[in-house]
Amino acid sequence: MEQLKFPDNFAEMPDSFSSYTTSKVVILPFPYEKTTCFIKGAEKGPAAIIRASKGMELYDEELGNVFEIGICTLKGLKIDKKPEEIVGIINNNIIKLLKDNKFPVIFGGEHSITYGVVKAVKEKYAELSVLQIDAHADLRDEFEGTKYSHACTMKRTMEICPIVPVGIRSLSFEESKLIKERKLKIFWAKDIVGNDEWFDDAISRLSRNVYITIDLDAFDPSIVPSVGTPEPGGLGYYQVLRFLKKVCEKRNVVGFDVVELCPNEKDISSDFTAARLVYKLIGYKFIK
């Protein structure tokens, strides 16, 4: 896998802090989009996050110089295949990172990529659960002819490890029946926006090792408008940060992805918010 170096890498990281050999964190972009069904453009998300990150100050007022832990950026993995064919490709790439003891950070692309990543992570961490921060349940068994659509990614993930969905406010009747049948605890946006009382309950449902998948439509569209399917009534930026910080304090976070950014050239705020979110979450993981 080819490494991107200054100034083309995430946050224009200096070469001394972004080599693959010494970095604790490796960013792997997956500019994949095959099954999105409303606003297109998720394949441009990874490049937009990297581009926006170049405007960030590397000193964080809460965490200090996060970059000093080492953050390597790899060249994006461009895949033009059917969704059922990408699982193995993604899986193999993540396994390599994990064998090299790297902390994987994945930039999507559409949400369908998450299942392949989780499969690889599950091979290393048997006791694994997935924290899903999302507006949509993504629990369909099949959508538009494939079981590996972005709308099915958490159904496939739930088949290999437990999930804890947070911020949900849009789902199909099929998904509602599955939730009732499985007695799946959902942290509905309507119940959690504006208060932090649910944090401990959500974290208690996570296993010791946690993979985090963040679909940016979890945020209210007033904060992150540039997503594939914006849903009103979403989460706030600082509330999500407080929650992620506590998750990192209480559990062993083993990797994360940020997906479904659809860049809009007239509004770069979503791109910048995604970049800052990535940087903050890396800091919460490694700086105590």
Side-chain angles (χ1 to χ4, degrees):
M1 291 181 281
E2 183 181 344
Q3 177 183 335
L4 296 179
K5 297 184 178 182
F6 176 88
D8 298 320
N9 55 1
F10 180 78
E12 291 184 331
M13 292 283 295
D15 292 343
S16 57
F17 292 103
S18 61
S19 74
Y20 185 87
T21 303
T22 59
S23 291
K24 292 182 180 179
V25 175
V26 173
I27 292 173
L28 181 55
F30 277 122
Y32 180 77
E33 183 174 25
K34 283 288 186 184
T35 72
T36 52
C37 49
F38 190 45
I39 298 172
K40 302 293 184 178
E43 65 180 352
K44 300 177 181 178
I49 296 174
I50 292 172
R51 184 169 57 251
S53 73
K54 297 179 182 183
M56 293 192 313
E57 295 284 3
L58 294 184
Y59 176 79
D60 183 87
E61 77 283 359
E62 180 184 12
L63 300 164
N65 289 326
V66 175
F67 70 90
E68 290 179 346
I69 66 172
I71 303 173
C72 173
T73 309
L74 298 180
K75 184 177 180 181
L77 188 63
K78 185 70 174 176
I79 309 171
D80 186 21
K81 292 182 179 293
K82 295 178 180 179
E84 55 268 26
E85 297 174 340
I86 70 165
V87 176
I89 299 171
I90 295 173
N91 185 76
N92 292 338
N93 279 271
I94 302 303
I95 285 175
K96 182 184 187 307
L97 299 184
L98 295 173
K99 284 183 177 178
D100 290 342
N101 294 315
K102 304 301 181 184
F103 181 87
V105 175
I106 315 304
F107 290 174
E110 65 172 62
H111 209 171
S112 62
I113 67 173
T114 296
Y115 174 61
V117 180
V118 173
K119 278 196 70 177
V121 175
K122 185 69 164 58
E123 290 188 29
K124 181 171 183 177
Y125 299 97
E127 187 185 347
L128 181 72
S129 58
V130 174
L131 171 60
Q132 174 198 7
I133 300 179
D134 201 334
H136 304 92
D138 291 344
L139 288 171
R140 283 178 164 89
D141 186 58
E142 183 178 307
F143 189 68
E144 295 185 342
T146 177
K147 289 179 175 288
Y148 297 94
S149 164
H150 70 109
C152 309
T153 191
M154 299 315 299
K155 176 67 182 303
R156 300 285 80 79
T157 298
M158 195 169 65
E159 292 169 354
I160 58 176
C161 69
I163 66 171
V164 177
V166 169
I168 308 302
R169 54 195 189 276
S170 179
L171 70 165
S172 67
F173 179 62
E174 170 196 344
E175 291 168 304
S176 73
K177 291 195 296 182
L178 177 71
I179 289 167
K180 291 176 183 177
E181 291 168 1
R182 300 287 182 89
K183 297 181 179 179
L184 179 63
K185 172 63 177 178
I186 304 289
F187 289 86
W188 303 102
K190 66 182 179 61
D191 298 326
I192 65 175
V193 169
N195 74 85
D196 297 352
E197 298 171 2
W198 54 277
F199 283 11
D200 290 338
D201 187 10
I203 293 171
S204 72
R205 297 170 186 274
L206 296 167
S207 57
R208 184 170 64 89
N209 301 309
V210 177
Y211 180 84
I212 301 174
T213 178
I214 303 174
D215 187 324
L216 290 168
D217 63 26
F219 290 95
D220 191 82
S222 63
I223 300 169
V224 182
S226 301
V227 293
T229 312
E231 295 284 350
L235 305 179
Y237 178 71
Y238 283 109
Q239 182 184 30
V240 170
L241 290 186
R242 290 192 299 272
F243 178 54
L244 292 174
K245 182 178 182 179
K246 194 164 190 178
V247 171
C248 289
E249 290 171 350
K250 300 294 185 179
R251 295 292 187 269
N252 178 35
V253 176
V254 297
F256 70 87
D257 64 53
V258 175
V259 300
E260 299 279 354
L261 175 68
C262 294
N264 176 356
E265 61 182 17
K266 296 181 180 180
D267 182 9
I268 199 174
S269 63
S270 298
D271 310 0
F272 196 91
T273 300
R276 177 60 73 181
L277 178 68
V278 167
Y279 198 60
K280 296 287 279 191
L281 185 46
I282 290 172
Y284 291 150
K285 164 62 183 178
F286 288 99
I287 299 174
K288 308 301 182 184

